[in-house]
Structure formats: structure tokens, C-alpha cells
Amino acid sequence: MIGTGYVGLTTGACLAFLGHSVVCADADPHKVERLRGARVDILEPGLPERVREGLEAGRLEFTGDTAAAVAEAEVVFLCLPTPMGAGGAADLAAVEAVAGQVRDVLRPGCVVVNKSTVPVGTCERVAALLGRADVSVVSNPEFLREGRAVEDFLHPDRIVIGAADQDAARRVAGLYAALDAPLVLTDPASAELTKYAANFFLAMKLSFANNLAVLCERFGADVADVTEGIGRDPRIGPAFLRPGPGWGGSCLPKDTHALLTVCDRSGVDFPLLRATIETNVAHQRRLVERVAAACGRGAEGSLHGVRLALYGLTFKAGTSDLRDSPALAVARLLRERGAELTAYDPALSEERPDLSDLVDLVDDPVRAAEGAAACLVLTEWPQLRDVDWAAVAACMSGHEVHDWRNLLDPDVLARAGLSWRGIGRPAAARVA
């Protein structure tokens, strides 16, 4: 297993749990040392337990020596970052670098598996970089949700394997034999495109839900009822229909942009994909305009010097991941308008220098609200329901809570003396 991020560590630990012998390699010696001591820095339910069990059983090892890790391996998984590069394309530098490192040490008959999310044609690209006729390259995209990665691995909706060599495909499929899941065997290009298509479709549903919320506000409808009504249709389903402050995270933004770049380069017009991305950006700007209209100063609604409290910075609850978080995107837009931001997130400590130029991060939700003209709920942390909202109201300069996750009970906030405003739902005035 090359790479011990969310995908690599979860895959390695879970394969060891299934009874396989797994060696995980990573270039970060500090991370390797911590993992050898069963110290997992990723906030992921069940993952520390799987790592500890694998180490104790002797089926899971960690090393900083990539060449040594692959020298005796029958299957090598590439679980490497493929971030958004220039122009939105996927940056394959890490994948290509590792292919060059392991090329001469792979054992004959080894199968190399692309687990990372990569553009169509990457299997062929890796095979060419390896230059080994005795080594097969297979695509096996992951479909793990952060916060539920272990559960998703052990109880998958499907396992997709794309290979030109059917014997290699069967060998990779055999690794998952203990799991009860549909198996999709296909060619590499189809497997690579499946991952991008899945993430695009999910992003499209979220952009749809956010625009639907605007429509509900215009006509006095309740988006919660509307999405329940359409989500019960099995052709639509309820997942990814909850409006919020936009979509983000480690996958959807980079994968939609990468797919759009592939479309542009191949001459395929895909206006729905482009609109999905543009709608997300426009939605976040719309929410910032809402805050400016409610809390801004002067006729233009200036936010210069206006203090705002942000509840939640991670891209979703249950993770400490900040990559392409919609909460941070909104925070940046507010800062551009001159707002002063204090934030609370139960997964983050105050010692985050990488956030210091954007927000003042504190470890208490009441403290975050001191002097705030409004509170903005940006991440759906269930802990926020238990906040002492009367104490929050007492220390604010204003009285508005913009609940952009429709998480809180409007009646609770009203009794605390706060005005609640969600997305696509009727507002609730405070009790005087």
C-alpha cells in the first residue's frame, strides 16, 4: 500500500482485517513512526481499532522504504494524492513519481492497482511508465466517504475493477472475496470514468438541492418537505438532497474540475457539468450577500468591522478534513468583504496557524459568539444542537443565527432570544 492518507490507510487496515498481509509505505517518517505505535491522526471512526488490531496480529506493517515494501508484494496499491493542478486537471505527479521508483523492484507477475482517483488513460500511462510486460496494471477506484470509510470498505455498495488482463482482475477481486458486494468487472477506461461520473452526479444533486432551496424561499415552500417528497421516489433517492453552504471536500471539487478539463480537451461539450460547478460558486456568493443584507452597515451593506461567529469549518461533520471545505470558501468571501471572523469547530484545536489569517479559532462556541452580529452554522456537527443558546444570545451584539445546514431547532433558538434563518425553510423570529 503506497500512501497512508484516508484511502491508503483505510484500505490497508481493512485488508489486514480481512486476513491479508499488508505493508503500508509512506514518505513521511513522522507519520510512519506514529502509525507503528497505532497512533492514527485521521479522525475516522473505527480506523484506529483496525490499525491496532492489524499491528497486534502481525498482518499490518508500516515503513518509509517504498522499494522494500513492494519488493515481495503480489499486489501493489497506489493510494496517492491527485490534487487539482493547473487549469483544473488532475495532478498525477505523485503517481508518476512512485511508478518510476518501483519499476525495477516489482516482482514478476505483480499486479499494480490504481486506487487513486485518476483520469481516463492513467492505467495505460502507469503501464507505460513501468515498462514491464510481466506486470499488470488495474483500476480499482475507491468509493469511501470520510467519516464512514471503514464501514464503506467493509460493506461496499459495489466493487469496480477495470483491467485488460482478466487474470489480474480476478486476483484483485479475490482480495475482496470475504465481502458481500456486487462486482463490476470492466475495462480500465470505464472503471476510471465511473469514479468521476459518480462524484459529478453527487455534486449535481447538491447544486440542485441548493437551487431548489432558493426556489422554496421564493414561493414560501419548505425544502425539507419538498426533498422528502421527491427523495422517496426510488428513481431519485434521498441522498445528497440536503441544501447547505455549497459542496466541497477532498473529492467533489477536484474531480468535477478534472472531468470538465477532460471534456474540454477531448472536445466534448458537457454544459450540465459546467453549470453544476458554477451553481455552487454562485450559491456561496448568494449566502454571503444574505449576511451583508442582514448585518452590513450602510446602504451597501458593508461588512467591514462586522464580527461574525462561524460554527464549523470542516467540509462535513465527523471529519477533521479542511480540504476544499465550503465553510472555508464562505469564510474567505466574508473576509474579502471585511468581516471579522471567530470560529468554533469541535474537531479543530486553537493551534491551527494555517487558519490564523482567515479566522480566530477558539475552543468554545459561546466564546466564538462574543460581540458577534450573527452566528453562521456551516458544518452539520450534531454537538451544535446542545450549545447553550441563551448564553450565546447574551454575549452577541446581534440576534441572528443563519443555519445553513438546517440543523437547529428554530423554537429552541427563538426561546433563547435568537432569530433563526435556514435555507429554503420559513424563518423563525425570536421571542421578545
Side-chain angles (χ1 to χ4, degrees):
M1 205 67 54
I2 311 301
T4 60
Y6 276 93
V7 175
L9 187 57
T10 301
T11 302
C14 288
L15 285 175
F17 177 73
L18 295 179
H20 304 293
S21 296
V22 180
V23 179
C24 294
D26 198 281
D28 185 342
H30 177 68
K31 181 190 288 189
V32 169
E33 191 61 31
R34 288 186 60 79
L35 289 172
R36 284 173 173 168
R39 294 186 294 275
V40 177
D41 296 324
I42 296 172
L43 180 58
E44 192 63 51
L47 186 55
E49 292 82 357
R50 295 288 86 82
V51 169
R52 188 178 305 110
E53 290 170 1
L55 288 168
E56 292 174 353
R59 291 193 298 268
L60 184 62
E61 300 176 37
F62 295 96
T63 181
D65 189 338
T66 299
V70 306
E72 299 300 321
E74 298 175 63
V75 181
V76 175
F77 282 83
L78 303 183
C79 305
L80 300 159
T82 54
M84 192 187 308
D91 184 351
L92 299 179
V95 174
E96 294 175 348
V98 168
Q101 292 171 17
V102 304
R103 176 177 55 227
D104 297 329
V105 294
L106 294 171
R107 61 186 290 181
C110 176
V111 177
V112 174
V113 179
N114 273 338
K115 198 70 174 171
S116 307
T117 301
V118 292
V120 174
T122 303
C123 254
E124 294 180 357
R125 172 65 176 156
V126 171
L129 289 171
L130 293 176
R132 293 278 301 271
D134 59 344
V135 171
S136 298
V137 181
V138 171
S139 175
N140 175 217
E142 55 84 16
F143 299 97
L144 306 178
R145 294 168 292 177
E146 290 188 32
R148 300 186 63 177
V150 172
E151 180 182 350
D152 285 347
F153 187 98
L154 297 176
H155 305 280
D157 297 317
R158 75 285 202 196
I159 296 169
V160 178
I161 299 173
D165 181 345
Q166 293 308 300
D167 179 65
R170 285 191 291 270
R171 289 173 61 191
V172 175
L175 299 175
Y176 303 101
L179 303 179
D180 182 20
L183 183 62
V184 180
L185 293 177
T186 184
D187 58 90
S190 297
E192 291 164 340
L193 190 54
T194 294
K195 177 58 187 281
Y196 278 112
N199 280 349
F200 161 45
F201 192 83
L202 296 177
M204 182 181 64
K205 287 187 74 174
L206 289 170
S207 283
F208 167 79
N210 287 331
N211 255 23
L212 182 63
V214 176
L215 195 62
C216 287
E217 291 173 0
R218 179 65 58 87
F219 293 107
D222 190 324
V223 72
D225 293 340
V226 174
T227 53
E228 181 181 5
I230 64 174
R232 289 185 179 277
D233 186 328
R235 296 170 300 175
I236 299 173
F240 284 74
L241 283 179
R242 296 186 64 179
W247 44 266
S250 61
C251 293
L252 298 190
K254 75 177 183 67
D255 292 350
T256 50
H257 280 89
L259 182 58
L260 184 60
T261 301
V262 168
C263 290
D264 289 342
R265 290 178 177 176
S266 60
V268 175
D269 187 23
F270 210 152
L272 187 58
L273 174 56
R274 193 179 305 276
T276 294
I277 297 171
E278 293 173 350
T279 296
N280 192 48
V281 176
H283 175 68
Q284 292 173 337
R285 294 191 178 279
R286 184 187 304 117
L287 293 179
V288 169
E289 291 296 334
R290 179 181 294 185
V291 174
C295 307
R297 297 167 177 168
E300 295 183 355
S302 171
L303 289 175
H304 281 282
V306 174
R307 182 173 294 278
L308 300 171
L310 309 183
Y311 288 154
L313 293 178
T314 58
F315 87 91
K316 69 173 183 177
T319 178
S320 57
D321 198 345
L322 293 169
R323 287 177 292 177
D324 279 306
S325 169
L328 292 183
V330 168
R332 292 187 189 98
L333 291 173
L334 292 168
R335 283 288 294 155
E336 288 174 5
R337 301 285 290 267
E340 298 177 359
L341 308 176
T342 304
Y344 163 76
D345 191 298
L348 304 176
S349 68
E350 293 187 22
E351 288 75 39
R352 290 298 299 255
D354 55 324
L355 296 173
S356 60
D357 291 339
L358 181 62
V359 301
D360 179 17
L361 186 62
V362 299
D363 61 2
D364 179 76
V366 176
R367 183 178 160 201
E370 291 178 358
C375 294
L376 280 57
V377 177
L378 300 177
T379 309
E380 70 282 18
W381 286 106
Q383 296 94 318
L384 296 176
R385 296 192 181 101
D386 300 323
V387 166
D388 185 345
W389 289 104
V392 168
C395 69
M396 290 177 63
S397 64
H399 57 80
E400 292 202 357
V401 174
H402 293 256
D403 182 3
W404 292 343
R405 293 289 187 171
N406 290 341
L407 175 73
L408 307 175
D409 185 335
D411 292 337
V412 170
L413 269 67
R415 290 193 295 270
L418 295 166
S419 300
W420 178 90
R421 186 173 184 183
I423 296 181
R425 307 196 69 189
R430 60 179 176 155
V431 175

